[in-house]
Amino acid sequence: MALVPWTLYLAFTLPRRATLASYDAPWVGFDIGLAAVILLTAVLAHRRHRQVNLAAVAVTTMLVVDAWFDVMTTPRGEAGGILVALATAFLVELPLAVLSLWIALTAGDLTGTELPHPPGRADRAQRDSPSGSPDRTD
């Protein structure tokens, strides 16, 4: 709930334009972090680790954020700059984000595990039965 007023505050108080002395450092740092998370996802997928889906969700998120900030921070007066940013976003970053999300959602197929399900009646019956199998009253 605190995020809404904070966002409104920022919308009205932040300057419309800002110049950074170290504009390149945040971008390079973010891209290094993105590369590290992509590498982590690849290693976890190769090892068929059951938590590959978590890393893939992080990659998805970072790619969407990268596309957003690439497009939003490109100077509009720069010749062709916005076209390059849009092309990179829509032809590279967002398709890779969709692929990464697909990996996250289908990671159980890759690792041989299923996403956890909330315990249901069948799970309780199996857990409570002495033999470990659901009781049947056929």
Side-chain angles (χ1 to χ4, degrees):
M1 290 184 56
L3 186 59
V4 173
W6 176 249
T7 303
L8 290 172
Y9 170 77
L10 291 177
F12 290 109
T13 61
L14 285 175
R16 301 275 302 147
R17 187 174 193 135
T19 303
L20 298 174
S22 59
Y23 183 75
D24 56 342
W27 285 113
V28 171
F30 187 85
D31 285 343
I32 289 171
L34 176 57
V37 176
I38 290 171
L39 179 62
L40 173 65
T41 304
V43 168
L44 291 175
H46 178 72
R47 293 182 178 177
R48 298 184 183 278
H49 194 280
R50 65 185 183 95
Q51 292 185 339
V52 66
N53 60 331
L54 298 176
V57 167
V59 170
T60 301
T61 303
M62 290 182 78
L63 284 167
V64 170
V65 168
D66 196 19
W68 172 259
F69 281 101
D70 282 348
V71 171
M72 297 307 293
T73 62
T74 298
R76 299 301 187 253
E78 190 175 300
I82 191 65
L83 294 177
V84 171
L86 287 167
T88 302
F90 284 102
L91 298 175
V92 178
E93 293 162 334
L94 295 178
L96 287 176
V98 170
L99 174 64
S100 185
L101 183 61
W102 177 81
I103 290 169
L105 294 173
T106 61
D109 296 340
L110 172 71
T111 63
T113 60
E114 292 184 22
L115 294 175
H117 298 287
R121 289 170 50 172
D123 293 334
R124 281 193 297 274
Q126 183 175 6
R127 186 178 58 240
D128 296 339
S129 116
S131 66
S133 62
D135 294 331
R136 296 200 171 230
T137 56
D138 294 309

